[in-house]
Amino acid sequence: MKRFKCAISQAVVIAIVGAAAAFIFNAFSANGISPFRKIADVPVVEDEPAGGETGPAPEAIRAIDLDRFREIVDSHGVVIDARTAADYREGRVPGAILLDYYEFRRSFDSVAPYLDFENEITIYCSGPVCEDSELLARELFARGYTKLLVFKGGFEAWEEAGMPVERE
Amino acid sequence: MMGIRECLFENEPAATGPRGSRLAAFAGNQRVILIFRIVLAAVFIYAALQKIGKPLMFADEIRMYQVLDRGPLLYVVAIVLPWMELCCGISLLAGLFMRGAALVLAVLNAVFLAMITWRTIGVMSAGGTPLMKVYFDCGCGFGATYAWKKLIEDSLFILMAAAIYFSPAFAFTLAPRRKG
């Protein structure tokens, strides 16, 4: 019983020290997050095909297909790569800007000059399964960027289609 | 009520050694305990350093277990858990608050074991994947691996933590000797 009481006391001290260190570090870390952070509750809707009469709701993130994405890349639209810096260096969509979703607080200020509230911003991540492009779109939406497009196929679909890849 | 000060000075050498079975004697051997401490400390300090400073990424990895959805509890766990692992690892290395660290690690690993089992069963039932082929990133800090390996690893970690917890005394510590 003495051993258990002692262990509990020690565990409480470890928990308090650990939690205090965690919250202090989190407060000063470039990647720190608020436990009460909200993800913008904006729907992701399929983009209307070209020439469609009715567009999606204005307050929505639009999911686009490969053809539409290629048009944007060819016309030098703003394209964001939401993957890690290592993935980005290994190969990316030509002209894409790196903005790792998990490094958002650290990287956003350097990317912000390339973004415009009036123009479309297209985001992709690794492939159809990854959620980072959508999560990044929600982060940007919360910061007032409303013309957001997500290429759900991601880099995987781009590469598989034999599209050009930029490397360092 | 045990005082913290009294708990801190738990470093009397096990002069007579533990009595009982051979297994108990093995687990009570201070060199064995020291090896367990170093292994657990190395694993959990490394795992913690992979996650500290990346709470958003860790939160997404926790979400893959479909137990916690986005909300304050998920983010608090993602912020605090790696630091708890780090503190436990440092405690075991330094030889301070070792029973507490062992208790925390045993409880954490029991939770990890339950979560990984839960997710493994989910993968097996969803895709008809056999147990030995279930492969995913558990979010532990060591990348993707076979689930069965993680289940064995976590079970071993619990046993090591239990051996430390039940050790009759501790040697190789930084804690000052208790007088009297």
Side-chain angles (χ1 to χ4, degrees):
Chain A
M1 198 59 196
K2 175 187 165 187
R3 177 185 286 167
F4 183 67
K5 277 185 180 173
C6 209
I8 290 287
S9 310
Q10 294 177 358
V12 169
V13 172
I14 290 172
I16 292 170
V17 171
F23 284 113
I24 291 169
F25 180 87
N26 184 63
F28 292 100
S29 167
N31 289 326
I33 55 172
S34 161
F36 303 102
R37 69 195 296 276
K38 295 266 183 230
I39 302 279
D41 192 20
V42 54
V44 178
V45 298
E46 292 297 321
D47 194 30
E48 285 293 310
E53 284 182 10
T54 54
E59 294 281 286
I61 295 165
R62 286 179 288 153
I64 58 170
D65 61 12
L66 181 64
D67 291 336
R68 176 88 175 90
F69 185 52
R70 193 181 172 181
E71 281 173 24
I72 292 166
V73 174
D74 288 346
S75 61
H76 304 289
V78 176
V79 176
I80 288 181
D81 187 328
R83 301 174 302 156
T84 64
D87 290 338
Y88 179 83
R89 281 193 297 270
E90 218 168 275
R92 57 184 174 271
V93 171
I97 303 163
L98 173 66
L99 181 50
D100 181 351
Y101 169 65
Y102 298 105
E103 302 272 330
F104 187 84
R105 269 182 61 179
R106 190 197 301 268
S107 313
F108 179 71
D109 288 346
S110 60
V111 173
Y114 299 99
L115 308 180
D116 191 330
F117 291 105
E118 301 303 317
N119 293 331
E120 287 180 336
I121 300 167
T122 310
I123 308 163
Y124 71 90
C125 53
S126 308
V129 182
C130 78
E131 290 182 308
D132 301 344
S133 52
E134 195 179 310
L135 293 170
L136 181 60
R138 292 178 191 280
E139 287 284 350
L140 291 173
F141 189 89
R143 280 166 174 73
Y145 299 92
T146 52
K147 296 185 173 179
L148 296 160
L149 290 81
V150 168
F151 173 45
K152 296 291 281 182
F155 187 70
E156 197 181 302
W158 178 262
E159 208 174 21
E160 273 175 13
M163 296 295 157
V165 172
E166 199 171 81
R167 290 187 171 86
E168 267 176 28
Chain B
M1 182 68 188
M2 293 287 298
I4 287 293
R5 191 173 172 78
E6 197 178 342
C7 291
L8 177 65
F9 300 153
E10 275 199 296
N11 66 337
E12 302 91 341
T16 54
R19 288 172 189 168
S21 68
R22 278 178 151 186
L23 182 66
F26 173 76
N29 182 310
Q30 285 307 300
R31 286 194 180 85
V32 173
I33 293 296
L34 180 65
I35 291 169
F36 287 174
R37 282 167 51 193
I38 291 172
V39 170
L40 285 180
V43 166
F44 284 95
I45 289 174
Y46 178 83
L49 294 178
Q50 299 307 303
K51 294 175 283 203
I52 284 175
K54 301 169 189 167
L56 213 46
M57 182 179 280
F58 187 41
D60 274 355
E61 282 166 352
I62 300 170
R63 269 188 63 237
M64 301 299 278
Y65 287 90
Q66 296 177 333
V67 174
L68 290 177
D69 205 357
R70 287 192 189 91
L73 185 57
L74 172 74
Y75 298 124
V76 166
V77 171
I79 292 167
V80 172
L81 186 57
W83 283 91
M84 295 283 280
E85 293 178 336
L86 184 69
C87 287
C88 289
I90 292 171
S91 287
L92 292 179
L93 269 192
L96 298 169
F97 293 147
M98 280 188 286
R99 283 194 215 287
L103 183 64
V104 171
L105 285 184
V107 171
L108 284 180
N109 277 286
V111 174
F112 298 159
L113 196 63
M115 300 267 281
I116 293 169
T117 305
W118 166 258
R119 188 164 162 190
T120 303
I121 292 170
V123 172
M124 287 169 69
S125 53
T129 315
L131 172 64
M132 302 303 276
K133 292 199 172 174
V134 176
Y135 186 88
F136 54 73
D137 187 347
C138 61
C140 317
F142 293 89
T145 187
Y146 287 102
W148 64 268
K149 283 188 184 172
K150 271 327 283 186
L151 294 172
I152 292 174
E153 263 176 39
D154 283 353
S155 304
L156 288 175
F157 294 155
I158 291 174
L159 291 177
M160 288 183 198
I164 295 168
Y165 178 87
F166 287 110
S167 176
F170 295 111
F172 311 110
T173 78
L174 292 182
R177 289 274 171 91
R178 186 165 53 192
K179 290 174 185 167

